[in-house]
Amino acid sequence: MTIRHFLDLSDAGAAAIAAMLADAAARKTARAALPKGAVDPDRPLAGRTLAMIFEKNSTRTRVSFDMAMRQLGGTTLILDAGTTQLGRGETVADTARVLSRMVDAIMIRTDDHAKIVEMARHATVPVINGLTDASHPCQIMADMQTVIERRGSLAGSKWAWFGDGNNVLHSIIEAGSLMGFDVWWACPDGYKPSEEVVATARQRVLGTPNADSITEALGWEAAAEEADVIVTDTWISMGQKHAEEKLAAMMPYQVTEAVMAAAKPNATFLHCLPAHRGEEVVDAVIDGPQSAIWDEAENRLHAQKSVLLWCFGKL
Ligand code: CP
Ligand code: NVA
């Protein structure tokens, strides 16, 4: 069987993503009364081990994958890249070959997307993207699960992004083009999403009823208008320098109560976290009644379980 890597959402495709989201919801409901450390009764990943490599900090990704493997009956190893030979220059390819002999899957968070592509090329076990400079597909699985919980479905919804055209936005654009929802972004000049990511998404929807679904907004008002989902992220991602001029350029795109007022009355606010309150979002929004951030964070666990099950051929 072909190895199921999860480097981006398109590696799985729409049908598998829908199956993963359904499974995540079902498992979440089924174990609602269980303690968090209890194993799901079917133990689908018993005997399996996931190695997690972190070249950048993490709270949610690290804990969600660790707990996901435990709940599925498997185990994890956490490798801080700085204390492995990878951190001393052993190649990604050799690391992939060695880990493939000892563990059943690899999750990696790294600065350079090319490294996970290289890892997947040489690994003989599934490789999962735990965030790169280019994308964050696991996060968007949790975001989609959260939107389905709040709104019932993804299809036809309008998601509006504010601020930096970063890795998280790239995965939202990809998700919209795969799953049939509209993505609008309002980003200042110099900080737009990758043209390649936008072009690929537009190509995917070309000739379909969703042909106009991937849209750069002219101003934040156009993005917010009729939006079902308002979403933002830090203005300075990991590995980027703190730059006053970038913060100044972002300020008009801050998610404020005015942005929420311009969206649909029951619009959902999302943020992958960690947040920089008073920068990309004000307290009144992130702590307000439309904010779904704690469900979104919890859903990292449920969504990651389904990503793992898909990678292991169980979905
Ligand atoms: N949202 C997210 O990926 O969080 P962490 O950086 O804490 O993993
Ligand atoms: N864009 C952020 C996401 C953190 C989860 C970063 O890359 O740092």
Side-chain angles (χ1 to χ4, degrees), residues 54 57-62 109 130-131 136 139 238 272-274 300:
F54 286 99
N57 294 31
S58 171
T59 299
R60 279 146 288 266
T61 304
R62 175 176 170 152
R109 167 168 286 198
L131 179 147
H136 197 2
Q139 177 66 51
M238 290 182 278
C272 64
L273 304 177
R300 290 295 304 276

Side-chain angles (χ1 to χ4, degrees), residues 31-304:
R31 61 166 297 120
L34 294 180
K36 296 180 184 68
V39 181
D40 286 356
D42 57 341
R43 305 177 72 87
L45 297 189
R48 311 280 194 151
T49 298
L50 171 74
M52 296 193 269
I53 304 172
F54 286 99
E55 294 192 323
K56 289 177 167 179
N57 294 31
S58 171
T59 299
R60 279 146 288 266
T61 304
R62 175 176 170 152
V63 177
S64 61
F65 270 105
D66 199 340
M67 291 306 295
M69 282 302 287
R70 291 174 197 227
Q71 291 188 1
L72 294 169
T75 56
T76 57
L77 288 172
I78 296 180
L79 305 174
D80 171 11
T83 59
T84 63
Q85 298 293 5
L86 191 60
R88 288 185 60 245
E90 185 168 15
T91 66
V92 169
D94 286 354
T95 304
R97 291 179 182 115
V98 171
L99 289 179
S100 296
R101 297 291 185 102
M102 301 190 194
V103 302
D104 301 294
I106 302 165
M107 198 275 324
I108 176 165
R109 167 168 286 198
T110 180
D111 50 349
D112 183 358
H113 196 82
K115 282 192 199 170
I116 61 162
V117 174
E118 176 80 350
M119 179 76 74
R121 199 151 69 89
H122 296 283
T124 54
V125 298
V127 174
I128 299 171
N129 177 359
L131 179 147
T132 69
D133 55 339
S135 60
H136 197 2
C138 291
Q139 177 66 51
I140 307 315
M141 292 299 295
D143 290 11
M144 290 191 281
Q145 184 177 354
T146 309
V147 169
I148 293 168
E149 285 174 353
R150 297 267 167 152
R151 315 195 68 80
S153 69
L154 294 171
S157 60
K158 176 181 175 181
W159 295 35
W161 174 274
F162 296 81
D164 194 22
N166 67 11
N167 46 3
V168 175
L169 174 57
H170 290 165
S171 289
I172 291 176
I173 290 172
E174 185 177 46
S177 70
L178 287 164
M179 305 308 290
F181 59 87
D182 293 357
V183 181
W184 291 58
W185 60 92
C187 306
D189 286 342
Y191 303 103
K192 312 266 190 207
S194 144
E195 286 176 14
E196 192 184 334
V197 169
V198 172
T200 302
R202 286 190 173 143
Q203 186 63 35
R204 189 173 288 126
V205 294
L206 198 67
T208 74
N210 298 320
D212 297 327
S213 61
I214 307 297
T215 310
E216 178 175 356
L218 298 173
W220 70 262
E221 294 90 343
E225 189 180 7
E226 289 296 303
D228 298 284
V229 177
I230 300 289
V231 54
T232 189
D233 183 19
T234 180
W235 290 339
I236 311 285
S237 283
M238 290 182 278
Q240 296 177 347
K241 288 202 181 71
H242 190 90
E244 290 305 326
E245 65 183 37
K246 183 173 185 184
L247 297 184
M250 292 291 159
M251 208 57 198
Y253 301 88
Q254 184 183 55
V255 178
T256 60
E257 288 158 294
V259 171
M260 296 307 291
K264 280 191 182 158
N266 61 348
T268 300
F269 174 74
L270 297 180
H271 190 309
C272 64
L273 304 177
H276 299 74
R277 291 156 181 268
E279 291 189 4
E280 70 272 9
V281 60
V282 300
D283 284 343
V285 172
I286 195 166
D287 297 327
Q290 290 164 258
S291 175
I293 58 165
W294 308 126
D295 290 340
E296 182 186 7
E298 179 187 332
N299 285 338
R300 290 295 304 276
L301 165 59
H302 306 295
Q304 257 69 125

